[in-house]
Amino acid sequence: MLKTVVIGTTALFLTASSIAHAQSSQTSSPTPATPQRLNANDQNTLTDIRVDLVKAALQLTPEQEKYWPAVESAIRAGAEDRKARIAKIQGTVGMRADENRIEVMRNRDPIAFLQRRSQALAQRSADLDRLAEAWQPLYNTLSQEQRQRMAGLAIFVLREMSDAVDRRRATQSEENED
């Protein structure tokens, strides 16, 4: 069973990679070191795949199925809030696109930055609280095997996210050296 989860998760990340690659191929002459953002349609597709993967990995019983809509709704709401936070950041960056990095840092308002960061973290916290509340009734009904699959999936996803952060930092370091 763990093999099924690993295969499904790998498929998820390969799909996400191919979506991102396809988008970068369609953009007009992007710089190679610039990370490409997924468009809204691709983000929705990725969320659908993630939801389907988690549900498939858990193999819910008919009794457990009644708890799933709340979990799916919380996952989707968190994804929508994340898209909104990213759009807000991109808007802020877009307003400063005509300034070079030194000017941006020199003109930065640290108090406004801290306030924006606090609001973003508060939103993420609220999303995680809603997700935990939605998961709790379903989690209480999971068998030990289902809980192990869920834990395995979570560990794999966290490792992939960590690797993505490391790749992003490496790319940013390379850009800063140039």
Side-chain angles (χ1 to χ4, degrees):
M1 186 49 54
L2 185 58
K3 185 187 259 185
T4 303
V5 171
V6 171
I7 290 170
T9 306
T10 302
L12 165 71
F13 288 104
L14 289 175
T15 302
S17 297
S18 63
I19 290 171
H21 179 69
Q23 181 181 0
S24 67
S25 299
Q26 294 171 355
T27 59
S28 60
S29 65
T31 57
T34 304
Q36 297 297 313
R37 298 281 181 203
L38 298 177
N39 65 36
N41 189 38
D42 291 340
Q43 289 175 353
N44 290 338
T45 300
L46 191 55
T47 299
D48 291 342
I49 292 169
R50 287 176 175 157
V51 166
D52 292 344
L53 176 66
V54 172
K55 189 173 182 184
L58 291 178
Q59 298 178 346
L60 300 176
T61 66
E63 178 65 24
Q64 293 168 332
E65 283 282 343
K66 67 182 178 184
Y67 299 111
W68 180 252
V71 173
E72 182 174 346
S73 177
I75 292 170
R76 292 184 185 284
E80 288 299 316
D81 287 345
R82 182 175 186 277
K83 281 194 294 191
R85 285 192 306 273
I86 290 171
K88 189 174 181 179
I89 290 168
Q90 288 174 333
T92 302
V93 170
M95 290 186 304
R96 297 179 175 230
D98 59 337
E99 299 177 13
N100 67 36
R101 287 186 180 183
I102 294 172
E103 289 173 336
V104 169
M105 294 305 289
R106 191 176 299 142
N107 298 331
R108 185 178 217 169
D109 180 352
I111 304 305
F113 171 78
L114 290 173
Q115 290 169 336
R116 285 190 310 271
R117 186 70 180 134
S118 172
Q119 291 167 355
L121 290 172
Q123 180 65 53
R124 289 179 69 189
S125 175
D127 288 343
L128 287 173
D129 284 343
R130 281 192 296 274
L131 186 61
E133 284 179 28
W135 266 108
Q136 190 64 55
L138 176 58
Y139 188 78
N140 290 339
T141 68
L142 296 180
S143 68
Q144 190 60 37
E145 184 180 336
Q146 287 172 311
R147 288 179 182 199
Q148 288 172 345
R149 286 194 301 262
M150 186 175 168
L153 185 60
I155 289 168
F156 184 82
V157 168
L158 290 174
R159 185 174 23 134
E160 288 297 317
M161 288 171 53
S162 176
D163 290 348
V165 168
D166 290 343
R167 285 190 301 272
R168 187 175 196 178
R169 285 182 181 152
T171 301
Q172 288 173 344
S173 294
E174 290 171 6
E175 288 176 356
N176 292 336
E177 290 174 1
D178 291 341

